[in-house]
Amino acid sequence: MKVVVWLAEGTWQACVDAAAEVAPPSASITLLHVTDPALADDVSDAFAGLVGRGSRGPDPGAAISAAAARSEEAMLAAAAARLDRASSPVRRHGRLEREVVAAAEGADLLVVARDGPVTRLGPRSLNPPTRFVVDHAPCAVLLVWPTAPPAVDTIPPPPHKAAPPHKAAPPKKAPPPPH
Amino acid sequence: MSTVWAVLLLAVVLAFAVVRPRGLPEATAAVPAAAIAIGGGLVPWAAARDEMIMLGPTVGFLAAILALAHLADSWGVFAFAGGLAARASRGSPTRLLTVVFAIAAAVTAVLSLDATVVLLTPVVFATAAAAGVRARPQVYACTHLANAGSLLLPVANLTNLLAFGATGLTFLGFAGMMALPWLAVLAVEYAVFRWFFAGDLATPARPVPVEPAPAPRFALAVLALTLAGFAAAEPMGVAPAWIAAGGAVVLAVPLVVRAPRRARAAWAIVLETNPLFCFFVFALGVVVLALRQHGLDDLITALTPHSADLLGLLAVAGLAALLANLVNNVPATLVLVPVVAHSPGLVLAALIGVNVGPNLTYVGSLATLLWRRILHARDEPPATGAFLRLGAISVPACLLAAVVALWVALKLSTVL
């Protein structure tokens, strides 16, 4: 069995723990981290926008690339230590969602953490890249909560029963049927 | 015909500054272009000399503040700010964003926007990464606040320095007039960021214990004294450039004395003043003057409203933002400020436009963005569509809020 664990900032611990729990001892585990170069590129662009200053001095985008590479190594090392069994790290560069889907090719299971709001149950509580990965993964996906999941009553009410926003409490009697 | 030549010269100077073939300094094109403008009779020598004398204190200040910011970095001021942000955020991405807003606004106001973009942004990224927080909102907050946060003090942005003389205000008078627009812009940017990055900010982080770093007390004290010096010395006729240079020397001396190779350390600090950039600004001033004298002043005067009522302020700020996005904010300031110099209110509105406007493309101008897209054909398609959207949302709202705040400040003011 091939298990790919997508490690993302702030949520990777939950993925590692879930992988350790569900992957059989014979499984081969891949720890995947993706760096999106867009952030460093955009900082380089902001530097280039300081017209006239660019002839000399360090490009802050390059500093961010270097810092990103360092934090990637730290995260992969910490994840391998937390997993405490054989695993192989994979580093990819590019658009998060596309790289994760590509890395999951041929895998049996992809472990992904929810991100976005974690204080209520859906909808639209996944950040767009995670949503894309869940939608497009070419294998089974295990979607884990990074923290304890919120209670079931945090589901927003169905739209037609929602209280009007300007009223503090919903009316006792049923609202009149729509015309 | 002269107009065509003047337009051509400015176009070549700006295109070169953006493209920078083989990494050559911008002055490589700008200085010969200025020489051609003078030699070819587009600008009389006397006018060019007056322009350069007028730019002198501004360029001197810029050189000093660039060195001051780098020295502050050497003393660990930015690393200290990063540690402060990490501790104050207590593991919450939202609190980290709030603290980064405060630090970026303060660094921009005191040490100029260059310091925020070049020195603070990488520190903020490292802080976020170490705290297990997704760094996008905090990093983009730095790039946005470098421009939009530079309204408060005359020293925060080269554009402010270029326009400061035309406002007729004192250092503290300028800060007083711009405090309300500055706060309005910060509030709008903060609200837009909270909404735009809600997903990243809601993703939980695992708080990591942060070692409290000792505060670089000496450097912070020198910076505070330098800031107080700007306000105190200006009424006595001492240009802020001297104060900034004084602060830089005080920070530089212990570093040089301690360095194993003193001459080399001192030379490295002198290079931080970026002398080639100073030549670029002088030359750009002359080339823009050539264009102004051959039709541009008339054109801008025709487009610019003449009274500093709310509509007039809005129109000038909008025009300035547009111009800043076409040709970058420094040339836009050189073009606009002389035309509106008769009204301090309009000068301040123009500053709002040239400072806030560049965030529309976050690189400072559309021309810069397009050139970089063409020249730096990347392996990955750039994912920056989202950030053009961020600019499209925040810039009009910030401009409107800042101009209304300026209008209120002008109404309340007894200075203007």
Side-chain angles (χ1 to χ4, degrees), chain B residues 3-47:
Chain B
T3 311
V4 176
W5 280 110
V7 169
L8 209 62
L9 280 179
L10 182 60
V12 167
V13 169
L14 292 178
F16 193 96
V18 172
V19 178
R20 280 199 294 116
R22 298 183 196 187
L24 285 169
E26 296 85 347
T28 314
V31 172
I36 290 171
I38 296 168
L42 286 175
V43 181
W45 165 243

Side-chain angles (χ1 to χ4, degrees), chain A residues 99-130:
Chain A
E99 294 299 323
V100 175
V101 170
E105 189 181 7
D108 300 296
L109 179 67
L110 173 66
V111 183
V112 178
R114 307 181 65 103
D115 50 10
V118 290
T119 53
R120 60 171 172 84
L121 299 173
R124 285 190 285 281
S125 62
L126 297 183
N127 285 348
T130 308

Side-chain angles (χ1 to χ4, degrees), chain B residues 98-282:
Chain B
T98 311
V99 180
V100 165
F101 254 72
I103 292 176
V107 167
T108 302
V110 178
L111 288 174
S112 93
L113 84 169
D114 295 67
T116 302
V117 171
V118 177
L119 301 170
L120 183 65
T121 311
V123 170
V124 163
F125 177 88
T127 302
V133 168
R134 305 203 168 168
R136 285 197 323 156
Q138 287 78 15
V139 167
Y140 283 103
C142 284
T143 61
H144 259 232
L145 289 194
N147 286 313
S150 68
L151 292 176
L152 182 64
L153 298 182
V155 299
N157 197 331
L158 178 53
T159 55
N160 297 8
L161 287 162
L162 291 170
F164 181 44
T167 61
L169 290 163
T170 62
F171 190 93
L172 289 178
F174 184 99
M177 292 305 298
M178 286 304 230
L180 218 49
W182 183 67
L183 290 173
V185 163
L186 291 183
V188 171
E189 284 277 7
Y190 186 75
V192 169
F193 267 68
R194 284 293 296 270
W195 171 78
F196 193 88
F197 291 106
D200 280 329
L201 293 172
T203 302
R206 309 265 175 144
V208 190
V210 183
E211 285 293 314
R217 291 214 186 104
F218 174 68
L220 289 174
V222 172
L223 289 180
L225 286 174
T226 308
L227 182 61
F230 291 150
E234 192 242 347
M236 295 187 282
V238 180
W242 294 111
I243 308 295
V249 168
V250 173
L251 285 184
V253 167
L255 291 178
V256 172
V257 168
R258 260 188 259 153
R261 301 173 70 177
R262 289 180 188 167
R264 174 177 285 209
W267 182 240
I269 291 169
V270 170
L271 284 184
E272 294 295 355
T273 61
N274 208 344
L276 287 173
F277 174 44
C278 301
F279 285 122
F280 171 75
V281 177
F282 280 126

Side-chain angles (χ1 to χ4, degrees), chain A residues 63-139:
Chain A
I64 285 184
S65 284
R70 279 197 301 276
S71 80
E72 175 175 65
E73 287 312 313
M75 185 192 293
L76 286 171
R82 188 181 180 102
L83 185 63
D84 200 21
R85 60 193 263 197
S87 64
S88 52
V90 168
R91 305 162 187 85
R92 295 182 82 114
H93 273 251
R95 296 276 287 267
L96 295 181
E97 59 271 34
R98 304 229 164 233
E99 294 299 323
V100 175
V101 170
E105 189 181 7
D108 300 296
L109 179 67
L110 173 66
V111 183
V112 178
R114 307 181 65 103
D115 50 10
V118 290
T119 53
R120 60 171 172 84
L121 299 173
R124 285 190 285 281
S125 62
L126 297 183
N127 285 348
T130 308
R131 175 87 262 166
F132 184 96
V133 168
V134 171
D135 280 346
H136 296 82
C139 61

Side-chain angles (χ1 to χ4, degrees), chain A residues 160-175:
Chain A
H160 64 280
K161 282 187 183 167
H166 60 278
K167 290 207 176 138
K172 285 273 160 57
K173 59 177 185 182

Side-chain angles (χ1 to χ4, degrees), chain B residues 278-376:
Chain B
C278 301
F279 285 122
F280 171 75
V281 177
F282 280 126
L284 183 66
V286 172
V287 172
V288 168
L289 184 65
L291 186 55
R292 278 173 43 207
Q293 293 197 338
H294 291 94
L296 190 63
D297 269 358
D298 300 336
L299 177 68
I300 299 288
T301 308
L303 290 173
T304 312
H306 296 280
S307 65
D309 52 10
L310 184 55
L311 277 181
L313 295 173
L314 275 172
V316 168
L319 181 67
L322 194 71
L323 209 54
N325 273 291
L326 287 177
V327 297
N328 223 301
N329 58 357
V330 175
T333 310
L334 289 170
V335 166
L336 260 180
V337 165
V339 176
V340 294
H342 58 88
S343 159
L346 291 181
V347 175
L348 296 178
L351 275 183
I352 289 174
V354 293
N355 289 359
V356 175
N359 277 344
L360 200 57
T361 57
Y362 75 87
V363 300
S365 82
L366 210 56
T368 311
L369 182 69
L370 294 177
W371 271 110
R372 282 179 68 82
R373 284 283 162 81
I374 293 165
L375 291 171
H376 300 254

